[in-house]
Amino acid sequence: MNINTQLIQQSKIDTVDFNNLNFGRVFTDHMLVCDFKDGAWQTPSIMPYAPISFEPSARVFHYGQAVFEGMKAFKDDNDDVFLFRPDENFKRLNKSGERLAMPPVPENVFIDGLKQLLKIDNDWIKKGFGNSLYIRPFIIATEGAIAASPAEEYKFIIICSPAQSYYAGDVRVIMAEKYSRAADGGVGYAKAAGNYAAQFYPTSLAHKEGYQQIIWTDASTHEYLEEAGTMNIFFRVGDKLITAPNNDRILDGITRKSIIQLAEDNNIDVEVRRVSVAEIKEAANNGELKEIFGSGTAAVINPIKGFKHNSDAFELPVLKNSYASLFKEKLLNIQYNKSNDNHGWRVKI
Ligand SMILES: *Cc1c(COP(=O)(O)O)cnc(C)c1O
């Protein structure tokens, strides 16, 4: 594929302390930008990472026509670079975009463009367990026109940020009883920027009560558990793993579906079904509830230490052989090319 390429004069990589990275604050030397105009995606460009200017009337600022993805690249001990299930991110970006009336990005612009970008910024991908390059592809409506209708011009952009594994500290969550992140027939299944904005305020209220995240419940009854903050959610009751089924309120997480597959591979019972607040509280009360954890690309797996519903607070036991650490290790081993990849999830750059 043809990509216009303009390289930076001098890399800023020497100014970066890779042992003290703040997640999502530092970006690599280059970015990929592709414009949609006159009804077609134009030739993409790789150019120096830098501010871009837009008309104040750009529709993204007014109507939130914006979708994004989150993925990672990993480097093994031989300096080979791998992506994890990138085809899934590509498909999901366009599924999200379709819901927001945006034109689909061609596969070669996304996949070949990303591979080329990673080759150019290869030095930014550090090897060693826990180090990775976080990749943020996104589409925004750039057309300067404030009529409330879909834009006719867009930008597809990929930026990359070096990341380290991080320990978020103990995570305790509140099960939502008032606010919702998504509604039936809404955009919850899309990685739409506005879904995140809508979570900030309720989450800040949870912070004030000493909780780090909210477990979102179904919008109509608040009786079923759906997502943990910006992650999918799993419960271990006895030795059984339970997670909510995908629907139009739940994001179809790639980490989530990989965990379901790994559980099946390891003969762990998985139930994909609605999970009620009542059954989890009951399981906590009778000692059957062993674990709750969130899953997502950024943190992979985030164990949850405790939760609150109504005025009832619960603490989870500390386990030696947790499913959370089992699945995290299995996923990381696949991602860093340290174990067999039976499902063809790894893609070498
Ligand atoms: C991105 C995201 C996830 C996790 O998806 P992964 O593909 O596993 O990274 C879960 N829930 C929400 C709301 C998300 O935006």
Side-chain angles (χ1 to χ4, degrees), residues 12 22 43 109 136-137 166 178 203 218 221 227 261 316:
K12 61 190 177 215
N22 240 331
T43 303
V109 171
R136 169 55 57 86
Y166 60 86
K178 176 179 176 194
T203 306
D218 70 292
T221 68
E227 289 217 52
Q261 181 65 56
L316 287 159

Side-chain angles (χ1 to χ4, degrees), residues 125-200:
I125 313 169
K126 298 296 179 193
K127 53 189 170 191
F129 231 45
N131 294 325
S132 65
L133 189 70
Y134 184 80
I135 300 163
R136 169 55 57 86
F138 61 107
I139 315 174
I140 49 175
T142 50
E143 187 191 8
I146 55 170
S149 57
E152 293 187 354
E153 291 173 12
Y154 297 87
K155 264 187 203 302
F156 168 63
I157 304 177
I158 306 179
I159 55 177
C160 302
S161 175
Q164 291 172 290
S165 67
Y166 60 86
Y167 174 61
D170 286 356
V171 175
R172 290 182 176 78
V173 297
I174 294 185
M175 293 175 174
E177 291 181 88
K178 176 179 176 194
Y179 295 100
S180 305
R181 75 169 280 280
D184 296 337
V187 297
Y189 72 89
K191 250 179 140 62
N195 285 342
Y196 279 68
Q199 294 190 56
F200 293 158

Side-chain angles (χ1 to χ4, degrees), residues 92 181 191 196 227 230-232 251 253-255 295-297:
R92 191 170 66 189
R181 75 169 280 280
K191 250 179 140 62
Y196 279 68
E227 289 217 52
T230 55
M231 305 179 103
N232 295 113
L251 201 286
I254 297 160
T255 318
S295 74
T297 296

Side-chain angles (χ1 to χ4, degrees), residues 79-138:
D79 287 327
D80 285 326
V81 174
F82 299 90
L83 291 166
F84 184 71
R85 309 187 76 175
D87 49 317
E88 295 285 342
N89 295 97
F90 164 68
K91 282 188 273 182
R92 191 170 66 189
L93 181 74
N94 282 340
K95 196 172 151 199
S96 300
E98 180 184 40
R99 180 64 183 78
L100 274 82
M102 300 168 115
V105 173
E107 185 163 5
N108 62 349
V109 171
F110 186 107
I111 300 286
D112 300 348
L114 174 57
K115 286 182 177 174
Q116 187 61 24
L117 179 64
L118 294 180
K119 281 184 184 148
I120 291 173
D121 281 342
N122 175 60
D123 288 348
W124 290 82
I125 313 169
K126 298 296 179 193
K127 53 189 170 191
F129 231 45
N131 294 325
S132 65
L133 189 70
Y134 184 80
I135 300 163
R136 169 55 57 86
F138 61 107

Side-chain angles (χ1 to χ4, degrees), residues 7-39:
L7 300 180
I8 37 115
Q9 304 280 320
Q10 201 194 342
S11 175
K12 61 190 177 215
I13 196 165
D14 291 338
T15 67
V16 176
D17 179 358
F18 282 85
N19 295 316
N20 285 297
L21 292 168
N22 240 331
F23 181 77
R25 298 248 176 199
V26 172
F27 295 89
T28 62
D29 287 326
H30 299 90
M31 62 183 179
L32 180 123
V33 179
C34 187
D35 288 313
F36 180 90
K37 60 179 183 211
D38 303 328

Side-chain angles (χ1 to χ4, degrees), residues 269-336:
D269 249 352
V270 205
E271 289 181 5
V272 179
R273 61 162 173 84
R274 297 213 294 177
V275 193
S276 73
V277 175
E279 80 175 282
I280 293 304
K281 285 173 81 172
E282 193 190 316
N285 278 327
N286 66 26
E288 281 280 285
L289 181 68
K290 302 267 174 64
E291 294 176 58
I292 306 178
F293 57 87
S295 74
T297 296
V300 189
I301 285 178
N302 216 340
I304 290 167
K305 286 261 157 60
F307 68 93
K308 189 178 117 159
H309 177 258
N310 231 317
S311 48
D312 307 329
F314 299 85
E315 284 291 301
L316 287 159
V318 179
L319 292 189
K320 271 230 184 78
N321 299 307
S322 71
Y323 284 174
S325 51
L326 174 85
F327 291 125
K328 185 162 185 173
E329 188 186 314
K330 289 200 179 286
L331 276 171
L332 291 177
N333 281 336
I334 296 172
Q335 291 173 333
Y336 287 89

Side-chain angles (χ1 to χ4, degrees), residues 190-232:
K191 250 179 140 62
N195 285 342
Y196 279 68
Q199 294 190 56
F200 293 158
Y201 176 65
T203 306
S204 73
L205 296 181
H207 287 169
K208 283 189 192 145
E209 284 190 63
Y211 291 82
Q212 286 71 41
Q213 281 294 350
I214 294 179
I215 299 193
W216 299 105
T217 49
D218 70 292
S220 44
T221 68
H222 295 295
E223 281 173 20
Y224 294 93
L225 299 158
E226 302 204 317
E227 289 217 52
T230 55
M231 305 179 103
N232 295 113

